């Protein structure tokens, strides 16, 4: 799995949250070992939905950066995988865990736990798409006007890279062909825990790694993630590929606990990073402490002036990438940034009612 030193500690995909600006700042202020995009529907991608292509904007600092796809149509995974390769991503992840009814009623996301043969075929077709693209460089199944988006996306990435020059380690230039790993992210069951049986199906198609969120579909995001169930998944995989444990990891102590409990090779952190692009700042020290068996380091807390600057920069990049109307999406991030500040009710109220970067500048002045 790339050349990441275990345990892998990465940023989990979150639709409506881990967009390009969120990922950019999470990788600038800290450095997750791996970053995932929001999930993108395979048919929408092939048909050129503008919003979906926006979800696949990324910056080179995020590398290794993995594009996540969802759907229930293997033939579209084949074509979508080629697009992901051509856009210069470092991996393709398949969502088999989303519990949203709009997704599962079409047989996608966590519904695939109930149709394991279809899930297997999706992995095979995705891998075939990656392999065919690697051999031929051809993108198929999309119309010419959509194909024209690909060089535009690459140019946008270069523009971002040049303007926001920050040191980073190259995993790939994104312009030369490499055989991308195909991974899966899933849950421990549909309405009950069936993780062992389910994982056995996935073993047959050998994903490059597997992320297991310790909840069933029925649990949505409620209750505690079941780390015992994740441990069962790790046991079933039995070292054939890395497993990343996911769910309710909020602090560095949690990282240590989940890894000890599940014996997984890493973890992905989702909601714990809300309003905290500094979450991964001390992650390398954390990994060293875990290896040495010494106490985990403190998490980083920025000064208020530094936090304000990041909030403003985040809002500016968000609007630049998605347009002025998208400012409303930024409000939740602003509220999260101040969620741990005591007596900040008035500030929070102003932030969630703000309508533009200019207003934000005034509020934070
Ligand atoms: C708002 C939101 C959006 C999410 N979108 C995705 C997604 O697009 N793809 C995915 O695999 N998981 C998605 N998830 C699930 C998270 O990646 C993660 O599995 C879950 O939140 C549990 O981890 P956590 O407790 O660290 O947040 C989403 C979760 C949330 C809260």
């Amino acid at each position: 799995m790339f050349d990441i030193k275990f345990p892998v500690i990465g940023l989990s995909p979150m639709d409506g949250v881990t967009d390009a600006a969120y990922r950019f700042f999470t990788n600038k202020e800290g450095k997750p070992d791996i970053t995932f995009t929001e999930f993108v529907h395979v048919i929408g991608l092939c048909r050129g939905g503008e919003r979906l292509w926006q979800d696949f904007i990324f910056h080179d600092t995020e590398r290794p950066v993995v594009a996540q796809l969802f759907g229930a149509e293997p033939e579209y995974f084949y074509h979508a995988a080629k697009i992901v390769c051509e856009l210069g991503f470092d991996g393709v992840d398949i969502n088999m865990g989303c519990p949203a009814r709009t997704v599962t009623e079409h047989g996608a996301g966590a519904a695939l736990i109930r149709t394991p043969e279809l899930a297997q075929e999706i992995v095979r077709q995705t891998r075939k798409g990656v392999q065919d693209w690697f051999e031929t460089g051809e993108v198929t199944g999309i119309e010419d006007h959509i194909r024209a988006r690909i060089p535009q996306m690459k140019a946008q990435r270069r523009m971002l890279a040049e303007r926001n020059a920050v040191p980073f380690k190259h995993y790939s230039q994104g312009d030369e062909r490499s055989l991308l790993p195909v991974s899966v992210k899933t849950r421990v069951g549909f309405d009950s825990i069936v993780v062992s049986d389910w994982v056995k199906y996935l073993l047959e198609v050998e994903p490059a790694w597997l992320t297991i969120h310790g909840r069933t579909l029925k649990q949505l995001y409620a209750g505690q993630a079941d780390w015992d169930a994740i441990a069962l998944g790790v046991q079933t995989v039995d070292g054939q590929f890395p497993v990343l444990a996911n769910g309710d990891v909020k602090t560095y102590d949690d990282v240590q606990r989940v890894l000890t409990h599940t014996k997984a090779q890493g973890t992905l952190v989702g909601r714990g990073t809300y309003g905290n692009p500094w979450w991964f700042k001390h992650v390398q020290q954390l990994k060293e402490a875990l290896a040495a068996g010494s106490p985990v380091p403190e998490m980083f807390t920025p000064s208020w002036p530094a936090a304000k600057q990041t909030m403003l920069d985040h809002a500016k990049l968000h609007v630049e990438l998605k347009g002025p109307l998208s400012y409303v999406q930024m409000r939740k991030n602003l509220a999260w940034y101040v969620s741990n500040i005591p007596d900040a009710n008035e500030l929070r109220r102003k932030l969630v009612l703000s309508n533009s970067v200019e207003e934000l500048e005034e509020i934070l002045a």
Side-chain angles (χ1 to χ4, degrees):
M1 189 167 149
F2 311 109
D3 55 356
I4 305 170
K5 227 172 158 188
F6 289 131
V8 174
I9 305 174
L11 175 66
S12 213
M14 289 184 286
D15 186 42
V17 178
T18 54
D19 58 16
Y22 191 103
R23 283 184 269 112
F24 176 78
F25 284 97
T26 306
N27 277 274
K28 178 170 183 273
E29 303 297 350
K31 185 71 192 100
D33 284 328
I34 190 165
T35 295
F36 293 75
T37 67
E38 301 163 86
F39 69 175
V40 168
H41 193 248
V42 283
I43 298 182
L45 185 69
C46 292
R47 295 196 179 150
E50 189 57 30
R51 196 189 70 78
L52 300 181
W53 282 73
Q54 240 177 26
D55 292 348
F56 273 173
I57 296 171
F58 68 93
H59 183 276
D60 282 321
T61 45
E62 294 169 40
R63 294 189 184 284
V65 55
V66 177
Q68 198 189 55
L69 298 174
F70 77 103
E73 301 77 11
E75 67 279 21
Y76 278 98
F77 274 89
Y78 173 80
H79 298 304
K82 290 180 163 185
I83 296 175
V84 167
C85 293
E86 184 65 26
L87 287 175
F89 280 98
D90 299 305
V92 193
D93 192 65
I94 303 170
N95 181 299
M96 300 193 185
C98 180
R101 188 170 307 155
T102 47
V103 171
T104 55
E105 71 189 1
H106 299 293
L112 288 165
I113 299 172
R114 282 195 157 164
T115 51
E117 279 91 10
L118 177 60
Q120 288 182 324
E121 186 55 15
I122 284 175
V123 176
R124 284 192 205 100
Q125 286 303 318
T126 306
R127 192 175 295 119
K128 187 167 185 300
V130 167
Q131 180 74 40
D132 287 355
W133 176 85
F134 178 66
E135 283 166 13
T136 66
E138 271 174 17
V139 177
T140 52
I142 57 173
E143 295 182 14
D144 286 346
H145 71 281
I146 298 163
R147 195 180 297 268
R149 286 288 276 128
I150 293 174
Q152 286 167 13
M153 296 275 285
K154 287 185 176 176
Q156 193 164 23
R157 197 176 80 230
R158 274 190 209 99
M159 179 273 289
L160 268 176
E162 278 162 23
R163 215 199 30 202
N164 294 295
V166 238
F168 65 93
K169 184 173 174 185
H170 278 277
Y171 285 85
S172 108
Q173 292 294 332
D175 291 330
E176 57 201 45
R177 292 212 292 271
S178 59
L179 205 52
L180 268 57
V182 174
S183 56
V184 171
K185 181 166 176 289
T186 190
R187 291 190 174 228
V188 292
F190 192 90
D191 44 21
S192 62
I193 294 173
V194 292
V195 63
S196 279
D197 290 344
W198 165 225
V199 162
K200 279 180 197 151
Y201 281 99
L202 295 174
L203 278 172
E204 288 174 18
V205 286
E206 296 176 55
W209 70 85
L210 176 66
T211 305
I212 306 180
H213 175 192
R215 288 187 176 84
T216 60
L217 171 142
K218 205 171 145 193
Q219 284 175 286
L220 302 173
Y221 294 95
Q224 277 294 113
D226 185 341
W227 292 355
D228 286 337
I230 301 177
L232 209 56
V234 174
Q235 268 176 33
T236 311
V237 172
D238 194 25
Q240 297 190 47
F241 43 76
V243 176
L244 307 183
N246 169 244
D248 297 339
V249 174
K250 294 232 153 60
T251 64
Y252 288 178
D253 283 325
D254 293 340
V255 171
Q256 185 180 39
R257 287 193 310 111
V258 80
L259 296 178
T260 308
H261 196 100
T262 63
K263 308 270 186 299
Q265 284 75 26
T267 184
L268 296 187
V269 187
R271 292 164 297 173
T273 69
Y274 282 177
N276 191 356
W278 302 273
W279 203 96
F280 295 91
K281 199 167 195 84
H282 292 161
V283 97
Q284 289 313 315
Q285 291 97 305
L286 169 61
K287 288 168 67 143
E288 283 161 24
L290 293 173
S294 42
V296 301
E298 291 277 314
M299 293 181 76
F300 179 81
T301 310
S303 68
W304 177 230
K308 283 200 293 188
Q309 190 59 52
T310 300
M311 286 164 77
L312 199 55
D313 291 346
H314 185 165
K316 281 181 183 163
L317 184 62
H318 183 100
V319 167
E320 182 186 342
L321 293 174
K322 290 185 163 179
L325 288 179
S326 77
Y327 184 85
V328 287
Q329 298 169 5
M330 189 58 211
R331 290 170 172 168
K332 63 177 180 306
N333 286 300
L334 298 172
W336 289 333
Y337 271 107
V338 299
S339 62
N340 287 326
I341 301 180
D343 303 322
N345 287 350
E346 180 55 18
L347 173 61
R348 196 171 305 118
R349 197 185 65 81
K350 284 186 184 161
L351 292 173
V352 297
L353 291 175
S354 63
N355 287 305
S356 64
V357 170
E358 292 70 32
E359 276 185 35
L360 178 63
E361 256 169 333
E362 277 176 31
I363 294 167
L364 295 178

